[in-house]
Amino acid sequence: MTLTTENFGQFFEELHGYDPFPWQSRLLREVFDTGRWPRVLDLPTGSGKTAAMDVALFHLALEAERGRERRAPVRIAFIVDRRLVVDDAYSRALAIEKALQSPKGEVCLEVAARLGRLAESSERPLIARRLRGGIPREHDWARTPSQPTILCSTVDQVGSRLLFRGYGVTNSMKPVHAGLLGADCLLLLDEAHLAEPFRQTLHWIDVYRSEKWREARESSPHAFALLTATPGDRKDDHTALPFSLKDDDRNHQVLQKRLDASKKVRLIETKGPVESDLTIRTEALVGAVEQATEHFKNSDNGAARPAIAVIVNRVARARSVYEELTKRHQSEIDDEKIDLILMIGPARSIDRDQLADRLKPIRTRTLTDAETRKLEKTMVVVATQCLEAGVDVDLDAVISEAAPIDSLRQRFGRLNRAGRDITPWGAVIAMSSDLHKKYEDPVYGGAIKEAWDRMAAAQGSKKKSWVDFGLSTFAVRMDPPALAPKDDAPVLMPAHLDLLSHTSPIPAADPDSALYLHGPHRAPDSVTVAWRADLEPRNTEGRRLLTLVPPQSGETIELPVWAVRRWLERPSDRIEDLADVPSEAGEDSENRRPSRRQIFRWKGDDDASEWIEPGEIRPGENVVVPASYGGLDEYGWKPGSDADVADVGAQAAAPFAGRRFSVRVHPSLPGVNVSETALSDALASVQNARWKDARDVLLGLPLEEQLASDLGRLSEARRGAVHHYFDLYGKGEEDRPRGVVFVAPLGLKDGPSRDAAASATEARGLATQSTEDDLAGSIGGYCLPLEQHSKDVEEKAGAFASRVGLSSDRVRDLSLAGYLHDHGKSDQRFQRWLYYGDPLGADPETVIAKSARPLPRKARAASGLPEHWRHEALSVRKAMAHERLTSAADADLVLWLVGTHHGFGRPFYPHSDPTEKTPEVGPQSLAFDWKGRDWPTLFETLKARYGVWELARMEAILRLADHRASEDKAMEVHG
């Protein structure tokens, strides 16, 4: 069929079962007609802003077959500056992904077909991913440069990647992430008024992507749009007219109810001594819950069993209110008359998803005239600012701590969100200390008092004891002093961008990327923390154990550096300053206290993975702590708790069982119902056994059903060049093993997998998401001639470059770089190394790119390769002399892509070869000469020619082509 903008309504209905709002169809027509996104989408809460993803995706389908003329980005990133307890944008993206995999209507079928021609596989026309804290070796969202993708993430995760400093991303992969998000990507910044510094940084990124900052005229489609109900005064965007609702929206049957619904909110001031602040504050909030419950006992108010939310400004306060409500209503909770839920941002997604399921009865939906919403029991949700954004719930009552006006509008936007025929109940509660003229809140500064004064003025008289937060009737003055403080980001200067683009190595004078995301006075949530029960303090086996069973993001939380340090150094402290929005950093003493509690810094199978002191933690790092430290419960971060934390590593790894499957058995893990001595006896008896015999011995122990089932599933695993194995770890009495890990490196047969090569590599303790070092890039579990691998990557790189719409010149250059990229492996020393791992393999006269077997640890030294030798440095030298280089449209670019295809050399190399003599030297040397330029000068030349993000994008295309070509060959070999 012929796809046009007129088909959008049918597409929307086939996806969701109802028609789009008028503004959603109008936005699609505007974007398609102009080829540009409005800079600001000024849309009130409840108007369906997340449908901007549907618009972007349909626009991509309309443009998918235009090649170089395509104006719609292939990746869509939906960004929120919040820890989200419920990510409704991600839920929507997953629903769209599923609908397009099995399209039910003719329009969805056509959209899926068009996207499928861009995608890695026509069976997966769209993928939806939640981009969370970077974990080394976790399955990556970035597999091909042309895959239509919706990413749901945060300012920290997207922003740090855009600036070449991806939190938790290895240095060698930073350019790939920057290239994929900084080019051919639409960035949708939700609730943009909450992320002013990042908005300013996006403006500067847009400037440096423009034609004024690059010589080449060709460029990928890229845009950003701000989704907000509070556009504000944006000096650098003063010419941008916001896209907003029109009369047909306001007269729409569903939207009209939502816009016109009245939401009367009481202002309640509470007094008491400062030293009893938390107790009095808690009493006031709990008392308001009782008033709201009493309000709905009157059946005329429309909700006999109401849904009530209490929203506070600190994690510690949320805990206090939840604990008090639990104490008062324990019998009703036990009798299932009340569902009491605590939701805070710093929580593991596995735990949080279970809580989010409990919110399903109150998700926003449109009721027919004959319907009323009836809950089976009263629901009370105690939450932090994490409930302000990302969750589409419809509440009967909202009780909020005093906060800035824009924050309160977000909170009360959840009150009767669907415009039901009820009389909702709302209250804002302030302590007298909050309203003191000299009070400066760590999160909101002086805005709380300013907001209160404006709301009090809006009441008009004592007879009117409420303020209406209805979308159409809200009349409170919203000027800057009453709004949440917004830092300004420092100007992203060209010199700063130049330094940020250096990723190998990171320069000593490195701009702090957090300043560009949150401003100078806001603390980013940039440390990822996981808990493991079998990680024993100061155990020297930590790196080996985590290599065998790597942490997954589903078992982690993100916290500010200061909060983690303070918890480790002073575990008995109650950390009351932590909020769920970026705020001023809490206390982090410069005079560090010695800590008896070390943590494990996890950077993959790298020497930097080690036990460290709290003071050594740095933003963006991943740390793993022993479960015995406490600090977490089923609701999330609880620094005052010393109870052992539940290890959820097995559940977090379950979605990846098709690519890699492992089972841990240790006395501290669930499912082991035997004494430590009995388990140690069993393990000591199988030290030299085969994996299956060792497994059978453990199955003879009284293990719980789930653990026994997991051990049994090892027989269902795929087989390949790297077979099942097990590894004993830990030392108990008499140095006997305490635990064991069984690993099926290629995953389960019934699990989805296209990562066989990566899994085989991971089984040897190597990085899976990129062939970052010579070892990882040269062992694929199969023997492959260099000439064949060169042709495979040449073909794959050309296909990728063509599919994303690069010009014929760039397609030719990417293809040529693919052919030349590994020619440095022909070095005789490198070949001796590879054949040492495959002494009975192919003809030693054949130059190979990959060895079929694990290489002995001593093989590299025995081969004669210097310690820091890099094959891609030699590949550059060989490419310079190769006859095919004369066919390149841009030989500079080809050499650069060859030299950086493992992420090194941007702009310096960790390469050493004492056999090189001037002028025959590689790009690591200042004596390197290519048309009068050394390697760093070539870097500057190419950045000026293409721009930093387009250059990184082309690097990503070649590197992903290398990864996928290797993976395809592994699948061909192993099946």
Side-chain angles (χ1 to χ4, degrees):
M1 65 175 290
T2 301
L3 199 66
T4 72
T5 56
E6 298 303 314
N7 300 123
F8 178 69
Q10 186 177 342
F11 168 72
F12 199 95
E13 196 279 333
E14 289 176 9
L15 284 178
H16 306 295
Y18 50 88
D19 293 330
F21 291 143
W23 73 261
Q24 293 161 346
S25 298
R26 189 170 69 252
L27 176 62
L28 183 276
R29 290 193 297 270
E30 179 175 327
V31 170
F32 180 75
D33 291 343
T34 65
R36 297 188 303 273
W37 274 77
R39 184 51 49 88
V40 179
L41 303 182
D42 179 13
L43 301 165
T45 183
S47 59
K49 293 194 298 291
T50 53
M53 296 188 300
D54 303 58
V55 172
L57 192 65
F58 194 80
H59 183 215
L60 176 59
L62 290 170
E63 303 259 339
E65 298 177 344
R66 297 188 62 186
R68 288 186 61 191
E69 304 302 317
R70 175 170 55 84
R71 301 171 299 172
V74 78
R75 284 171 292 280
I76 303 159
F78 196 89
I79 309 163
V80 183
D81 194 19
R82 278 289 189 279
R83 301 188 191 96
L84 297 180
V85 291
V86 180
D87 192 345
D88 277 319
Y90 180 58
S91 298
R92 186 185 190 94
L94 284 177
I96 298 172
E97 177 191 55
K98 183 177 180 181
L100 292 180
Q101 284 180 9
S102 303
K104 297 293 192 297
E106 62 172 347
V107 178
C108 277
L109 189 66
E110 178 64 19
V111 168
R114 288 172 175 243
L115 298 181
R117 288 190 276 275
L118 287 171
E120 179 182 13
S121 167
S122 59
E123 296 177 357
R124 302 203 70 187
L126 173 72
I127 63 171
R129 294 286 183 269
R130 186 153 43 190
L131 185 58
R132 298 180 289 203
I135 295 290
R137 308 236 228 104
E138 189 169 58
H139 179 58
D140 208 345
W141 55 272
R143 290 181 50 82
T144 76
S146 63
Q147 171 69 56
T149 303
I150 297 178
L151 294 170
C152 298
S153 192
T154 63
V155 166
D156 278 331
Q157 295 304 328
V158 172
S160 64
R161 284 166 168 81
L162 275 170
L163 296 176
F164 293 85
R165 292 297 180 270
Y167 289 163
V169 180
T170 59
N171 288 348
S172 60
M173 282 299 286
K174 283 179 169 66
V176 172
H177 287 239
L180 295 179
L181 288 174
D184 212 354
C185 186
L186 168 66
L187 306 170
L188 298 173
L189 181 58
D190 192 25
E191 309 300 351
H193 62 284
L194 305 175
E196 177 63 13
F198 184 52
R199 185 203 65 79
Q200 295 173 3
T201 298
L202 286 178
H203 163 78
W204 286 110
I205 289 174
D206 202 44
V207 168
Y208 294 131
R209 279 191 47 86
S210 69
E211 291 187 359
K212 295 179 181 179
W213 287 89
R214 53 182 164 80
E215 298 164 7
R217 290 295 169 255
E218 59 180 322
S219 179
S220 63
H222 193 272
F224 76 92
L226 313 174
L227 282 61
T228 178
T230 313
D233 179 21
R234 309 183 189 285
K235 295 179 181 178
D236 52 6
D237 282 333
H238 63 278
T239 60
L241 295 176
F243 179 94
S244 56
L245 300 184
K246 292 191 174 182
D247 288 344
D248 55 350
D249 298 298
R250 298 185 185 93
N251 296 328
H252 188 274
Q253 183 179 6
V254 174
L255 269 180
Q256 186 178 45
K257 285 184 176 181
R258 297 183 182 185
L259 295 171
D260 293 346
S262 177
K263 306 179 183 185
K264 295 179 179 179
V265 175
R266 299 146 187 79
L267 304 184
I268 302 173
E269 182 177 350
T270 301
K271 299 181 180 180
V274 174
E275 57 271 18
S276 302
D277 181 273
L278 184 60
T279 301
I280 296 172
R281 200 180 290 269
T282 298
E283 286 287 337
L285 291 164
V286 170
V289 172
E290 309 298 343
Q291 293 180 54
T293 304
E294 192 66 29
H295 169 80
F296 286 105
K297 287 182 178 178
N298 180 347
S299 59
D300 292 340
N301 291 327
R305 289 178 290 278
I308 303 169
V310 182
I311 305 176
V312 298
N313 301 335
R314 305 282 198 285
V315 172
R317 294 175 188 173
R319 285 272 182 192
S320 179
V321 172
Y322 173 78
E323 290 164 3
E324 182 62 27
L325 284 169
T326 301
K327 185 166 58 177
R328 293 193 186 189
H329 297 280
Q330 188 63 64
S331 62
E332 295 165 281
I333 295 170
D334 293 340
D335 293 339
E336 297 189 354
K337 294 180 179 178
I338 292 180
D339 188 10
L340 179 60
I341 305 171
L342 172 64
M343 297 198 121
I344 58 177
R348 297 183 296 198
S349 61
I350 284 180
D351 300 324
R352 188 167 53 221
D353 290 347
Q354 294 175 355
L355 294 174
D357 286 342
R358 292 162 63 182
L359 296 182
K360 287 181 179 178
I362 60 169
R363 294 294 177 89
T364 304
R365 68 185 184 93
T366 302
L367 303 175
T368 66
D369 292 339
E371 279 186 295
T372 57
R373 187 182 74 180
K374 293 184 179 180
L375 301 180
E376 294 182 0
K377 52 188 171 182
T378 297
M379 181 180 292
V380 181
V381 182
V382 182
T384 55
Q385 297 96 333
C386 62
L387 207 65
E388 286 183 18
V391 53
D392 188 11
V393 292
D394 183 8
L395 298 160
D396 301 299
V398 172
I399 299 150
S400 173
E401 274 196 294
I405 293 291
D406 48 349
S407 299
L408 291 173
R409 289 204 75 181
Q410 286 292 121
R411 298 175 188 186
F412 289 108
R414 273 74 190 155
L415 181 60
N416 195 17
R417 190 177 180 87
R420 291 173 291 126
D421 186 19
I422 65 169
T423 305
W425 198 89
V428 178
I429 296 177
M431 291 284 291
S432 296
S433 56
D434 296 335
L435 307 179
H436 193 279
K437 63 181 179 180
K438 292 185 178 181
Y439 175 66
E440 284 288 321
D441 188 80
V443 179
Y444 298 122
I448 291 178
K449 175 177 170 29
E450 296 285 350
W452 186 271
D453 289 346
R454 283 154 183 73
M455 288 189 293
Q459 289 181 139
S461 68
K462 292 184 178 180
K463 293 182 179 179
K464 180 185 173 185
S465 58
W466 43 263
V467 174
D468 197 335
F469 271 79
L471 296 174
S472 298
T473 54
F474 185 71
V476 178
R477 187 162 52 97
M478 294 183 64
D479 49 353
L483 305 180
K486 298 174 178 62
D487 257 358
D488 286 321
V491 173
L492 183 62
M493 302 291 287
H496 300 156
L497 182 58
D498 184 57
L499 287 170
L500 288 166
S501 70
H502 291 205
T503 56
S504 175
I506 302 295
D510 187 33
D512 184 356
S513 60
L515 296 177
Y516 300 101
L517 310 182
H518 300 291
H521 303 113
R522 308 273 114 178
D525 301 334
S526 56
V527 179
T528 302
V529 188
W531 280 257
R532 284 290 179 87
D534 54 350
L535 182 69
E536 298 170 350
R538 297 181 175 83
N539 191 318
T540 57
E541 297 177 312
R543 182 162 56 131
R544 182 164 64 93
L545 177 57
L546 294 174
T547 297
L548 290 168
V549 190
Q552 307 288 345
S553 60
E555 59 181 305
T556 67
I557 67 172
E558 293 181 49
L559 290 166
V561 175
W562 67 265
V564 178
R565 287 176 178 164
R566 192 163 134 194
W567 166 60
L568 291 165
E569 293 168 350
R570 293 174 281 182
S572 61
D573 279 11
R574 186 169 189 133
I575 301 177
E576 297 186 358
D577 296 335
L578 184 64
D580 268 334
V581 292
S583 58
E584 293 184 10
E587 179 190 351
D588 188 13
S589 174
E590 294 181 1
N591 300 315
R592 310 229 64 87
R593 296 187 183 188
S595 176
R596 298 175 59 187
R597 306 205 302 176
Q598 288 188 321
I599 54 175
F600 196 84
R601 175 196 284 136
W602 173 239
K603 290 196 171 185
D605 187 33
D606 187 288
D607 289 341
S609 292
E610 60 184 349
W611 289 99
I612 60 172
E613 297 292 333
E616 298 177 83
I617 305 172
R618 296 293 178 265
E621 291 188 330
N622 305 287
V623 297
V624 187
V625 301
S628 58
Y629 286 5
L632 196 79
D633 66 6
E634 68 270 28
Y635 295 108
W637 176 238
K638 191 176 183 181
S641 171
D642 58 4
D644 284 4
V645 175
D647 186 318
V648 296
Q651 296 97 301
F656 307 100
R659 296 188 293 273
R660 176 181 170 86
F661 183 67
S662 60
V663 184
R664 289 178 292 154
V665 183
H666 188 275
S668 61
L669 293 169
V672 182
N673 290 329
V674 296
S675 68
E676 183 172 335
T677 300
L679 178 59
S680 189
D681 286 342
L683 296 178
S685 71
V686 300
Q687 294 192 66
N688 299 314
R690 295 182 305 169
W691 76 267
K692 185 174 288 188
D693 295 333
R695 188 271 310 268
D696 290 345
V697 168
L698 290 179
L699 285 175
L701 300 175
L703 306 177
E704 288 185 8
E705 182 178 352
Q706 183 59 55
L707 180 56
S709 174
D710 287 344
L711 286 169
R713 295 186 73 195
L714 287 164
S715 296
E716 305 168 16
R718 292 183 176 91
R719 295 181 180 273
V722 182
H723 296 290
H724 304 49
Y725 61 89
F726 69 97
D727 201 341
L728 302 171
Y729 67 95
K731 290 185 178 180
E733 296 179 1
E734 301 177 358
D735 287 338
R736 297 195 306 168
R738 299 187 67 216
V740 62
V741 181
F742 290 88
V743 179
L746 299 186
L748 301 177
K749 292 177 183 176
D750 59 356
S753 174
R754 280 190 50 81
D755 292 344
S759 297
T761 301
E762 183 185 69
R764 301 179 180 91
L766 307 173
T768 62
Q769 296 318 317
S770 65
T771 52
E772 297 171 2
D773 55 39
D774 282 332
L775 189 57
S778 304
I779 308 173
Y782 53 92
C783 191
L784 183 65
L786 176 61
E787 183 66 15
Q788 183 61 56
H789 179 60
S790 298
K791 290 179 179 178
D792 291 344
V793 178
E794 176 182 21
E795 181 181 353
K796 185 70 73 172
F800 280 175
S802 178
R803 202 180 297 165
V804 298
L806 292 185
S807 68
S808 58
D809 283 347
R810 295 293 79 75
V811 173
R812 185 163 76 251
D813 291 341
L814 264 296
S815 299
L816 180 55
Y819 179 75
L820 298 172
H821 80 291
D822 263 0
H823 280 207
K825 289 183 176 181
S826 62
D827 184 280
Q828 290 183 355
R829 297 166 296 178
F830 198 92
Q831 289 297 300
R832 285 199 296 270
W833 181 39
L834 296 188
Y835 273 112
Y836 196 163
D838 192 19
L840 302 177
D843 181 354
E845 297 300 319
T846 301
V847 177
I848 61 175
K850 298 184 184 294
S851 179
R853 299 180 182 178
L855 296 176
R857 292 184 179 275
K858 297 179 181 180
R860 184 179 180 107
S863 72
L865 275 177
E867 183 179 357
H868 297 293
W869 193 90
R870 298 285 323 171
H871 79 270
E872 62 269 34
L874 180 57
S875 292
V876 171
R877 286 176 51 200
K878 287 184 171 292
M880 291 166 61
H882 200 282
E883 59 182 9
R884 287 189 59 184
L885 189 63
T886 58
S887 67
D890 186 346
D892 296 352
L893 176 63
V894 172
L895 291 180
W896 177 259
L897 296 176
V898 168
T900 58
H901 79 267
H902 284 302
F904 296 101
R906 301 185 97 250
F908 301 118
Y909 270 99
H911 173 79
S912 174
D913 189 349
T915 67
E916 293 184 7
K917 304 297 180 184
T918 307
E920 298 295 323
V921 292
Q924 82 284 353
S925 171
L926 292 177
F928 175 79
D929 184 3
W930 169 251
K931 298 180 179 180
R933 290 169 297 190
D934 60 16
W935 191 254
T937 303
L938 179 62
F939 187 28
E940 298 306 314
T941 300
L942 290 169
K943 286 192 293 185
R945 187 173 300 165
Y946 297 106
V948 294
W949 288 283
E950 286 296 326
L951 181 60
R953 178 199 187 204
M954 288 188 282
E955 293 174 37
I957 291 172
L958 177 62
R959 294 181 66 184
L960 294 177
D962 188 12
H963 300 172
R964 299 292 79 77
S966 299
E967 180 180 290
D968 288 348
K969 183 60 67 173
M971 293 299 292
E972 178 185 320
V973 172
H974 300 309

